[in-house]
Amino acid sequence: MGILEDHINNYTRFEQPAVQTMRDDGKREKTGNSLSHYLCDLNESMSKQLNRKMLVELKNNLSNVLFQKEYTYTHVTQFLAHMYESIEGNPIILKALEQIKKMDEYTFAHSVNTAFYSMFIAMWMDLQEQDIINATQAGFLHDIGKIYIPEAILNKPGALTRQEYEIIQLHPLYGYSLLNEFSEFNLEVKRAVLFHHERIDAKGYPLCATDDYVGLLPKIIAVADVYDAMTTNRIYKKGKTALEAIDYLSHQGRSQLDNRVLLHFLNNIPVYDFKAS
């Protein structure tokens, strides 16, 4: 554990890469290495407008899930409210999410979907309320580090080169580093962002962390992340059907993803998910 913690501490001290922004003429330019300098140019009216936009987006996405029990909708609204409250007063996080939305519409929609799936998994596992809130927050923010990944790589229509894939693999570190600047997010949420691509066979990334070190919350995000990614169309591939994804997770997924989390997910998702209906 000490070695991994040293790795995490070292990564959070790394200088973050230069971020690309859009000039008025539509061309991208580098704006330097300071995230706070880049993101804190949000005035009050812009912040309020962005808050409203994101809240509407979250509410609209509720229609993507078929609620079978009346109490479920109440709980979902409650946990989404907690998640949103922690984000709406943080202009840096808001600006980062807006930048992701501009760069890659898929990543933003995927983040919303992953938040819902993560929230439901935590509810199906009968976790405590704070753990459900953490799962929802972490699901929504799990890919926030992709703000540092060049758009050309995020939206590349063909297969990634080895070097490009290695760049993609850095996004959990970047996300952790970003969230680590803020006390609004507890350590469990930050660790979930860092570890959501780790696997139980210790062959995940970015740290090849062992199963006993990762913890439960990242494993919940991992299942939600994989399922939504598999069932969503991308520019370079067509998404699998819900039944195909469920079959994959029921078999091959057991060697990579936490089996207890998978069991709760697979036992419930055919009933609740609009993709599986």
Side-chain angles (χ1 to χ4, degrees):
M1 179 171 173
I3 295 176
L4 283 175
E5 287 292 356
D6 287 343
H7 277 303
I8 294 171
N9 291 333
N10 287 336
Y11 281 128
T12 60
R13 288 194 294 267
F14 282 173
E15 185 179 68
Q16 295 159 330
V19 182
Q20 292 181 329
T21 58
M22 295 294 291
R23 297 191 337 216
D24 292 338
D25 59 7
K27 296 181 180 179
R28 294 195 172 274
E29 62 180 2
K30 302 289 185 179
T31 60
N33 292 316
S34 171
L35 178 68
S36 298
H37 176 77
Y38 164 61
L39 293 175
C40 281
D41 59 352
L42 211 60
N43 62 40
E44 186 176 353
S45 63
M46 288 173 64
S47 181
K48 288 181 179 179
Q49 181 180 9
L50 181 54
N51 288 347
R52 288 194 296 270
K53 248 175 89 175
M54 290 182 63
L55 186 57
V56 169
E57 183 111 20
L58 290 171
K59 288 183 176 180
N60 286 343
N61 274 272
L62 282 172
S63 64
N64 287 345
V65 181
L66 300 176
F67 300 107
Q68 304 297 321
K69 300 177 182 178
E70 290 184 4
Y71 74 84
T72 303
Y73 185 86
T74 301
H75 285 180
V76 167
T77 304
Q78 173 187 358
F79 296 130
L80 284 177
H82 281 298
M83 178 189 74
Y84 189 74
E85 285 170 4
S86 71
I87 294 173
E88 68 170 339
N90 193 321
I92 291 183
I93 298 299
L94 284 169
K95 186 67 174 178
L97 289 168
E98 178 69 359
Q99 184 69 10
I100 285 179
K101 189 169 172 55
K102 288 178 180 177
M103 289 174 59
D104 183 14
E105 189 72 30
Y106 161 79
T107 298
F108 187 85
H110 169 64
S111 298
V112 174
N113 290 340
T114 301
F116 286 127
Y117 291 133
S118 300
M119 173 179 59
F120 276 115
I121 293 171
M123 292 171 66
W124 295 331
M125 296 183 73
D126 292 324
L127 300 186
Q128 296 295 316
E129 177 175 323
Q130 185 58 54
D131 293 323
I132 300 174
I133 293 169
N134 291 346
T136 310
Q137 290 179 349
F140 191 54
L141 298 170
H142 76 288
D143 273 345
I144 198 167
K146 286 186 176 178
I147 188 174
Y148 294 111
I149 306 301
E151 185 178 1
I153 295 179
L154 283 179
N155 293 314
K156 185 176 179 179
L160 296 177
T161 66
R162 180 176 179 177
Q163 183 180 18
E164 289 168 340
Y165 185 60
E166 289 174 351
I167 292 173
I168 283 283
Q169 288 181 318
L170 293 174
H171 79 268
L173 291 167
Y174 295 151
Y176 177 87
S177 181
L178 170 57
L179 295 185
N180 205 44
E181 298 180 25
F182 307 105
S183 59
E184 292 90 339
F185 305 103
N186 67 37
L187 181 60
E188 292 303 311
V189 172
K190 297 170 185 177
R191 284 173 59 90
V193 171
L194 177 63
F195 289 135
H196 73 275
H197 278 294
E198 301 293 351
R199 297 295 180 252
I200 63 173
D201 58 7
K203 294 181 180 179
Y205 64 84
L207 300 177
C208 296
T210 57
D211 178 53
D212 59 343
Y213 181 79
V214 169
L216 178 61
L217 185 55
K219 296 173 181 177
I220 289 174
I221 308 305
V223 171
D225 177 30
V226 169
Y227 178 76
D228 187 67
M230 289 183 68
T231 54
T232 303
N233 292 330
R234 298 297 307 275
I235 57 175
Y236 55 85
K237 70 173 182 177
K238 180 177 175 59
K240 294 182 181 296
T241 67
L243 294 179
E244 288 172 336
I246 289 171
D247 182 68
Y248 176 88
L249 292 174
S250 300
H251 297 90
Q252 294 95 318
R254 293 185 182 276
S255 65
Q256 297 182 330
L257 301 168
D258 184 82
N259 284 205
R260 183 164 71 102
V261 175
L262 268 178
L263 180 64
H264 283 88
F265 181 78
L266 294 171
N267 283 345
N268 288 281
I269 199 63
V271 177
Y272 284 85
D273 187 13
F274 73 105
K275 293 180 179 178
S277 61

